[in-house]
Amino acid sequence: GVTFGNDTFVGVGSTGRTIRSTDNGSTWSYSIVPSPRRYLYGAAFGNNTFVGVGQYGKIVRSTDNGSTWNNSTSGISTHLNGVTFGNNTFVTVGQSGKILRSTDNGSSWNNSTSPITSSLYGVSFGNNNFVGVGQNGKIVRSTDNGSTWDNSTSGISTHLYGATFGNNTFVAVGPYGKIVRSTDNGSSWDNSTSGISSTLNGVTFGNNTFVAVGQSGKILRSTDNGSSWD
């Protein structure tokens, strides 16, 4: 996973290693998180705090721009796959539909009641809504800063691996070039035609452009809020 904040890029990965760059990604230095060292799958930034999540409920946080890290207690032992930040709240999602939230900058975490038991792979925030995506097209959303969650109907049965938000639009991506989008804060979702059949693993937004990436070096972009892709 990789994220950005305070003029610093931070990446997280295998066996608890993290990397950071303060020169726009030109050069990188690395540090190691406290034991037990687990794979870290996701990273997010908010309120001058970096948070990384991963295997067996591992959560770490840094308040010095990724130079040093401390453990946070998640209270669970299932894998955590994604994390995001919004409205002074960190939200992380993972296996078996697990959802945790923190309102003290990642120091402590509480379980949220998930409406599903399928794994969640990604989570995003926009317009005061958190949206989580995962196995078999499952999508969940929260309108109260991650306290409670409801199911949304994606209309698909393939997994969704990543989600993002921009221009009042949520976009999620998955296998077989699957892309779905929502323009009503995650309540309902429509299919977008990607034009490819490769798996898409991640998606992000910037400068009025959505970019999705996946297998075989595939890169797609949309400049019309995810309606069409090149």
Side-chain angles (χ1 to χ4, degrees):
V2 63
T3 193
F4 177 82
N6 280 353
D7 296 318
T8 305
F9 286 96
V10 168
V12 300
S14 65
T15 57
R17 288 184 182 271
T18 69
I19 56 174
R20 64 190 292 267
S21 172
T22 56
D23 57 6
N24 291 329
S26 294
T27 61
W28 296 78
S29 59
Y30 84 91
S31 60
I32 299 177
V33 304
S35 294
R37 297 190 180 108
R38 309 295 192 192
Y39 279 76
L40 297 171
Y41 298 135
F45 176 85
N47 285 349
N48 296 311
T49 305
F50 285 93
V51 169
V53 302
Q55 280 182 319
Y56 307 114
K58 180 77 171 182
I59 300 179
V60 292
R61 64 191 291 267
S62 171
T63 55
D64 59 5
N65 293 332
S67 295
T68 61
W69 297 81
N70 297 308
N71 283 320
S72 291
T73 301
S74 69
I76 65 171
S77 58
T78 50
H79 298 343
L80 295 168
N81 298 317
V83 59
T84 194
F85 178 85
N87 280 354
N88 295 310
T89 305
F90 282 96
V91 170
T92 180
V93 300
Q95 276 185 328
S96 305
K98 283 292 185 183
I99 303 172
L100 304 179
R101 65 191 290 265
S102 171
T103 56
D104 58 5
N105 297 327
S107 295
S108 62
W109 297 79
N110 298 310
N111 270 299
S112 293
T113 301
S114 175
I116 64 172
T117 56
S118 305
S119 290
L120 292 166
Y121 299 127
V123 61
S124 184
F125 176 83
N127 280 354
N128 296 313
N129 288 264
F130 285 95
V131 169
V133 302
Q135 273 184 321
N136 304 319
K138 290 291 187 182
I139 299 179
V140 296
R141 74 175 192 127
S142 172
T143 58
D144 58 5
N145 290 335
S147 295
T148 60
W149 295 77
D150 298 308
N151 276 305
S152 292
T153 302
S154 69
I156 64 172
S157 58
T158 53
H159 300 342
L160 293 168
Y161 292 137
T164 194
F165 178 86
N167 280 354
N168 296 309
T169 306
F170 282 97
V171 171
V173 300
Y176 312 113
K178 187 61 73 175
I179 301 176
V180 293
R181 66 191 287 267
S182 171
T183 56
D184 59 4
N185 296 324
S187 293
S188 61
W189 297 77
D190 298 310
N191 277 302
S192 291
T193 302
S194 69
I196 66 170
S197 58
S198 306
T199 294
L200 295 169
N201 298 314
V203 60
T204 193
F205 177 85
N207 285 349
N208 293 312
T209 304
F210 285 94
V211 172
V213 299
Q215 268 185 336
S216 305
K218 287 292 185 183
I219 302 173
L220 303 180
R221 68 190 289 267
S222 171
T223 55
D224 58 5
N225 295 331
S227 295
S228 61
W229 296 79
D230 299 311

